[in-house]
Amino acid sequence: MMNDILSAAGAEVSIIPVMQGDGVMKIDESQLPDSLPILALRNAVLFPGAVFPITIGREKSIRLIEDAEHANAFIGAVPQNDLSVEDPRQEDLYPYGTVAKIVKTLEMPDGTVTAILQGYKRFELETVFEHDPYLIGRVRYMNDTVPESDVQTRMIAESLKEKAVQIIKSSSFVPREAANALKGIDNFEFLVNFIATTIEVENFMDKVELLQYGDIKARAMKLLSVLDTQVELQKIKQEINQKVKTEIDQQQREYYLNNQLKTIQEELGMDEMEEFTQLRARAEQKEWTQDIQEIFEKEMAKLERYNPSSPDYSIQYNYIQFMLDLPWGSKSVDNLDMKNAQKVLDEDHFGLDRVKERIIEYLAVLKLKGDLKSPILCLYGPPGVGKTSLGKSIARALGRKYVRIALGGVHDESEIRGHRKTYVGALPGRILNGINRAGTSNPVIVLDEVDKLSSDFKGDPSSALLEALDPEQNTAFHDNYLDIDYDLSNVMFITTANNIDTIQPALKDRMEMINVSGYLAEEKIEIAKNYLIPKQLEEHGLTRDSIRFSKEALTKIIEEYTRESGVRGLEKQIAKICRVTVKKLTLSEKYYKTIKPAHLREYLGLPTNSHDVQKGNEAPGVVTGLAWTSMGGEILFIESSVSKGKGSLSMTGNLGDVMKESAQIAYQYIKAHPELTGMPYEEFIEKDIHVHVPEGAVPKDGPSAGITMVSSMVSAYRGQKVRSGIAMTGEMTLRGRVLPVGGIKEKILAAKRSGIHTIIISEENRKDVEDIKEIYIKGLTFVYVNSIDEVIKNIF
């Protein structure tokens, strides 16, 4: 019988475990050795009398099989406890096994070997005394007790056959021929061992434990319990398959597997609809319109149709979560106490009266009317004057949430409007993301560095901001990700910029521009005393009694160690003094409790600034001009020198095109009016003039140096020095008219920092000067001019 089945199995090695003859093959124990090579089995158990194929891949096991087959020797087949162990020791093996002989070996294409083993007798593994080249152990053989044939054993046998046939018919691992072989077995012992070897069960260790039973009847009862469990498991599987059975084709395969998963979850008592119920419960609490509710239901219906394992499901789920997270109509209550708002603003920032006044005005109207669209403010000015931190202060004064969005370097329109949710990795835009983080529909959003937006082939983000920052349009702001109009009219937008010239005109037109200029030295001292020094003392773990700053020391730091319109550099120098003090304290060194001017060199090193204005009257041709930069106001020097030549003009100093044109206009004007030079025309045309603006590594451009260039050239031609302490700014025309320029306040601050006492500007700039507080222009004399002739009269 065995040979027939082996030949029928062929190369596929689908061998049915069979019994020899009509009884278990008996063998005299005296023929069996006390020690056996031990073959560790994974996922297989061999019982006495059974023929069973074992796939062998480990090198030690292959060596054992080769040696045993060559010597026609017995081997011990022992199940492995831990199937993951590649090189098992005795502790990794089950203590019981079956002595066997190799019937045949087959080499497989993948390099493994399939050995067909014939089981003979059970044994107990007492000890393993060899590990190389394979395990060899001492064993103790065990006899089985076969019960008398009676009604009970026959009923047990029938039950075993019935349940085994059920399992075989629904199993894909056991050949169907095994069911026929099973029906032909009458011997009770054969039957138990045959079924125990053949049937695949969920828990492999249940099968292994059968080896310890020497009483065949007890082994049969344990096997019957194992088969009962397996039959129940198969019934559950069949019920699941029956519930999801439908006519499917290749396109419906994913849908079929999803339904099968749902049924499994139901069998385990899991209700995946609970999550959808929670989403709908959150939606009921939202203050949104009926239209948005309908869109939500539509999107939920899509989510329920998707397969949870598909990418579309996670995209749709994230979208609905974001939709529910947004604070639709939820607003924080504004604090309308104007005195409190003024107090908060004054606590956080010194000066900046125009901005504070605008916020108080907004609160006043809001208090009177009860409803008002939030203003859209643009705070522009040099770095370090408190533009960004002012936004946080405004939010605190109003009792609103604060969100800061950094726009520096943003060049993708999708950063503002978001990506369409169909794209993988799609995200909402920064504005809606900020509102989501704030949790209210009326936060204060600071759009920082709006002048540093750039554009490329991905779009123009500044154009995308037009809708958000237009009070007439932002009631229905459209984000590509959300794809639903969202009301931004309650959001207070505050933008910040250093240079408003780079802001798109249409965007600039939508904002209320407020200039936040630099500070005077006196203001910086107050800011240092009230804000910067307490902040740095706290950050460095110092107390007010630990260190003090004299007013003279602060003045020297401002004048000689910083060169800025704001106070960022001043704060860094104060922080450095605090660090040095902390170091001295921790090292128990002597330190100064009051910082005076004489101590600054020890703490800060040599001064980094000097008053270049003192060079303005050293030689003819040197004139001080005033310039505006994104860092604030600056002074610059125009130097001219005259030499014999053919009446040509040359320029150096890294000048831009507009500044070069100003120099050309100045030269042509002097050429048309040679009397300004104090020399005959014939002599004038034989003089070359060279105009240079120092600090040649720094690019310079703009028209405001026009009158300064004329003054420098006239001074050089005359050989006459300009009066000390004079600076000027203004554009000139070819006809000699002086035109107004911008950045007057910043230029005045730069003049005061540099010790200038007289400033020459256009008559048309008088209104700008009158708009400046008295404290800023105290100690300055302004000369208002309309023409170049008036300029020349006032400089010598």
Side-chain angles (χ1 to χ4, degrees):
M1 180 179 177
M2 180 185 73
N3 292 334
D4 292 341
I5 293 175
L6 286 176
S7 61
E12 292 184 1
V13 201
S14 298
I15 299 171
I16 306 165
V18 298
M19 304 298 169
Q20 288 282 19
D22 293 328
V24 175
M25 181 174 286
K26 302 297 182 183
I27 188 167
D28 189 353
E29 192 171 324
S30 62
Q31 300 177 18
L32 299 175
D34 294 336
S35 300
L36 293 173
I38 303 300
L39 177 65
L41 303 181
R42 289 195 286 196
N43 284 325
V45 185
L46 183 66
F47 286 84
V51 177
F52 196 71
I54 305 294
T55 300
I56 299 165
R58 292 183 282 207
E59 291 184 7
K60 282 188 176 184
S61 300
I62 293 174
R63 175 76 178 273
L64 184 153
I65 293 297
E66 290 174 348
D67 290 352
E69 186 178 30
H70 185 265
N72 193 27
F74 288 101
I75 64 172
V78 181
Q80 193 170 315
N81 278 331
D82 189 348
L83 305 184
S84 63
V85 178
E86 285 295 322
D87 187 13
R89 302 288 176 168
Q90 183 173 355
E91 58 269 19
D92 301 316
L93 300 175
Y94 194 67
Y96 300 99
T98 304
V99 64
K101 264 197 172 182
I102 301 169
V103 177
K104 189 175 183 180
T105 59
L106 301 171
E107 292 187 6
M108 309 308 289
D110 60 356
T112 60
V113 174
T114 295
I116 302 170
L117 303 183
Q118 168 73 60
Y120 286 94
K121 193 178 186 68
R122 291 186 311 114
F123 64 77
E124 181 180 1
L125 179 61
E126 293 184 335
T127 182
V128 174
F129 56 84
E130 289 287 344
H131 294 87
D132 291 311
Y134 39 75
L135 301 180
I136 300 177
R138 187 173 292 106
V139 301
R140 179 176 64 84
Y141 296 101
M142 306 171 69
N143 294 319
D144 290 343
T145 302
V146 182
E148 295 292 333
S149 177
D150 55 18
V151 175
Q152 188 179 18
T153 56
R154 287 197 297 272
M155 295 303 295
I156 293 172
E158 289 300 321
S159 296
L160 288 173
K161 287 182 180 181
E162 180 183 344
K163 293 188 182 298
V165 169
Q166 288 181 32
I167 295 171
I168 290 171
K169 286 183 177 179
S170 60
S171 173
S172 59
F173 300 103
V174 183
R176 292 301 175 92
E177 292 85 349
N180 297 327
L182 180 69
K183 294 175 182 178
I185 299 175
D186 295 326
N187 186 284
F188 187 69
E189 184 180 4
F190 295 170
L191 181 67
V192 173
N193 289 346
F194 177 78
I195 294 173
T197 304
T198 306
I199 301 301
E200 293 288 334
V201 296
E202 292 291 329
N203 188 357
F204 171 67
M205 293 309 296
D206 287 344
K207 199 171 177 180
V208 172
E209 289 176 1
L210 294 173
L211 275 176
Q212 67 181 329
Y213 292 93
D215 187 333
I216 299 299
K217 189 174 181 179
R219 188 186 303 169
M221 293 302 293
K222 174 63 176 176
L223 177 60
L224 194 59
S225 173
V226 172
L227 295 182
D228 278 336
T229 302
Q230 189 66 23
V231 168
E232 289 301 317
L233 288 174
Q234 286 191 340
K235 281 183 179 179
I236 293 173
K237 288 181 180 179
Q238 289 172 355
E239 288 174 3
I240 292 171
N241 290 332
Q242 188 64 32
K243 286 180 181 179
V244 298
K245 188 175 181 182
T246 183
E247 295 181 2
I248 61 172
D249 53 19
Q250 188 62 29
Q251 290 74 23
Q252 292 174 310
R253 174 177 172 78
E254 188 176 344
Y255 177 75
Y256 167 76
L257 294 175
N258 183 38
N259 282 349
Q260 196 172 40
L261 177 62
K262 286 182 179 179
T263 308
I264 291 171
Q265 290 174 336
E266 288 175 4
E267 291 292 335
L268 295 175
M270 297 170 59
D271 186 9
E272 70 165 5
M273 298 302 293
E274 182 180 350
E275 192 166 16
F276 296 152
T277 304
Q278 291 175 354
L279 293 176
R280 284 196 165 88
R282 288 181 60 191
E284 290 176 1
Q285 300 174 4
K286 288 293 174 183
E287 300 176 11
W288 52 26
T289 64
Q290 183 61 32
D291 292 341
I292 299 175
Q293 178 66 31
E294 291 174 0
I295 293 173
F296 171 79
E297 290 297 338
K298 181 180 176 183
E299 298 298 332
M300 279 297 298
K302 286 183 185 177
L303 180 66
E304 291 169 345
R305 288 197 301 270
Y306 284 140
N307 181 357
S309 61
S310 71
D312 290 338
Y313 181 89
S314 60
I315 291 172
Q316 185 70 7
Y317 182 81
N318 291 337
Y319 170 76
I320 290 176
Q321 282 282 20
F322 179 73
M323 189 176 176
L324 290 171
D325 288 341
L326 282 174
W328 300 87
S330 174
K331 295 187 289 186
S332 58
V333 179
D334 287 336
N335 185 347
L336 301 179
D337 187 345
M338 291 184 285
K339 290 183 179 180
N340 176 71
Q342 186 71 54
K343 179 183 175 184
V344 170
L345 294 172
D346 290 339
E347 280 178 359
D348 294 343
H349 291 85
F350 183 85
L352 307 180
D353 294 331
R354 284 190 61 193
V355 188
K356 295 176 181 178
E357 185 180 342
R358 182 64 184 86
I359 300 303
I360 299 300
E361 289 172 358
Y362 167 73
L363 277 178
V365 178
L366 190 62
K367 187 173 184 179
L368 180 65
K369 186 183 176 188
D371 183 30
L372 179 66
K373 288 184 178 179
S374 294
I376 297 170
L377 310 178
C378 178
L379 311 180
Y380 67 95
V385 295
K387 300 184 298 297
T388 304
S389 60
L390 188 60
K392 194 169 188 178
S393 206
I394 292 170
R396 192 162 76 92
L398 296 176
R400 294 190 180 189
K401 297 284 187 173
Y402 168 77
V403 177
R404 175 180 169 271
I405 300 174
L407 297 179
V410 172
H411 55 83
D412 187 354
E413 179 189 349
S414 299
E415 293 281 343
I416 307 299
R417 286 188 176 277
H419 306 78
R420 303 214 175 265
K421 70 172 187 281
T422 51
Y423 296 130
V424 176
L427 292 171
R430 293 196 182 193
I431 292 177
L432 282 195
N433 237 337
I435 291 175
N436 186 27
R437 292 199 310 271
T440 64
S441 289
N442 63 334
V444 173
I445 295 184
V446 173
L447 301 175
D448 210 8
E449 311 291 0
V450 72
D451 57 324
K452 296 174 180 61
L453 286 168
S454 57
S455 59
D456 59 11
F457 65 93
K458 296 180 181 179
D460 183 3
S462 61
S463 297
L465 278 176
L466 294 176
E467 181 185 2
L469 299 184
D470 189 340
E472 301 302 322
Q473 298 181 40
N474 64 10
T475 53
F477 175 73
H478 192 87
D479 184 279
N480 290 330
Y481 181 82
L482 182 63
D483 205 22
I484 304 172
D485 290 343
Y486 193 89
D487 186 3
L488 298 181
S489 62
N490 295 305
V491 177
M492 177 179 281
F493 286 103
I494 298 176
T495 65
T496 71
N498 297 131
N499 184 7
I500 60 174
D501 293 335
T502 59
I503 301 176
Q504 188 185 117
L507 183 60
K508 192 190 305 182
D509 182 60
R510 284 164 167 76
M511 300 185 292
E512 188 176 335
M513 312 300 292
I514 299 179
N515 183 14
V516 184
S517 57
Y519 300 107
L520 295 172
E522 292 81 2
E523 290 179 311
K524 290 182 180 181
I525 291 172
E526 292 301 317
I527 292 170
K529 284 182 178 179
N530 298 324
Y531 302 95
L532 304 183
I533 293 175
K535 176 184 174 185
Q536 291 303 321
L537 289 178
E538 183 180 352
E539 289 185 0
H540 290 83
L542 297 169
T543 64
R544 289 181 177 270
D545 297 329
S546 300
I547 183 173
R548 298 178 184 274
F549 290 78
S550 68
K551 183 176 180 180
E552 294 76 14
L554 289 173
T555 302
K556 187 169 183 179
I557 294 173
I558 292 166
E559 292 179 351
E560 299 185 11
Y561 290 90
T562 64
R563 188 180 181 183
E564 59 179 351
S565 295
V567 292
R568 194 168 285 152
L570 175 59
E571 184 175 13
K572 291 176 183 176
Q573 300 300 335
I574 293 172
K576 186 175 181 180
I577 292 174
C578 290
R579 288 196 302 272
V580 175
T581 302
V582 171
K583 185 191 78 172
K584 289 178 177 290
L585 271 171
T586 54
L587 296 176
S588 300
E589 297 179 2
K590 184 180 178 181
Y591 72 98
Y592 304 108
K593 287 198 172 184
T594 300
I595 303 298
K596 297 179 179 179
H599 306 148
L600 294 180
R601 181 168 292 195
E602 178 183 346
Y603 282 87
L604 302 178
L606 295 173
T608 56
N609 296 336
S610 60
H611 291 302
D612 291 338
V613 73
Q614 299 302 321
K615 301 176 184 178
N617 60 354
E618 288 180 354
V622 180
V623 179
T624 305
L626 298 174
W628 181 92
T629 70
S630 60
M631 302 293 289
E634 293 286 347
I635 63 168
L636 78 162
F637 304 101
I638 310 292
E639 300 178 349
S640 298
S641 66
V642 177
S643 59
K644 286 186 178 181
K646 299 180 180 179
S648 63
L649 167 67
S650 56
M651 294 166 284
T652 55
N654 201 352
L655 308 183
D657 291 339
V658 177
M659 203 164 183
K660 287 179 181 178
E661 290 175 0
S662 295
Q664 292 283 357
I665 292 170
Y667 179 68
Q668 291 298 329
Y669 182 81
I670 295 173
K671 198 172 181 181
H673 302 82
E675 66 276 6
L676 294 174
T677 64
M679 63 177 68
Y681 181 75
E682 293 77 11
E683 184 180 347
F684 169 77
I685 62 174
E686 293 179 353
K687 301 284 186 182
D688 288 346
I689 188 163
H690 182 101
V691 177
H692 174 68
V693 183
E695 299 184 32
V698 180
K700 309 167 192 73
D701 205 358
S704 64
I707 65 172
T708 314
M709 287 188 169
V710 172
S711 301
S712 175
M713 291 180 189
V714 170
S715 174
Y717 279 123
R718 290 187 180 185
Q720 186 178 357
K721 293 188 288 187
V722 172
R723 282 194 296 124
S724 175
I726 289 183
M728 60 190 72
T729 180
E731 182 181 356
M732 70 166 290
T733 69
L734 203 55
R735 294 180 291 122
R737 284 193 60 224
V738 179
L739 301 180
V741 291
I744 293 298
K745 184 176 180 181
E746 286 79 7
K747 292 176 180 179
I748 290 173
L749 291 175
K752 289 203 73 170
R753 286 199 304 269
S754 302
I756 301 290
H757 56 72
T758 302
I759 299 176
I760 300 176
I761 58 175
S762 169
E763 175 67 38
E764 295 181 46
N765 281 125
R766 185 189 291 269
K767 62 181 183 301
D768 298 311
V769 176
E770 291 174 351
D771 192 43
I772 298 172
K773 281 187 172 183
E774 180 66 28
I775 187 174
Y776 291 100
I777 58 178
K778 185 178 179 181
L780 292 176
T781 301
F782 292 91
V783 178
Y784 301 104
V785 296
N786 288 304
S787 66
I788 291 296
D789 293 338
E790 295 177 46
V791 174
I792 302 301
K793 288 177 184 177
N794 284 282
I795 63 174
F796 295 110

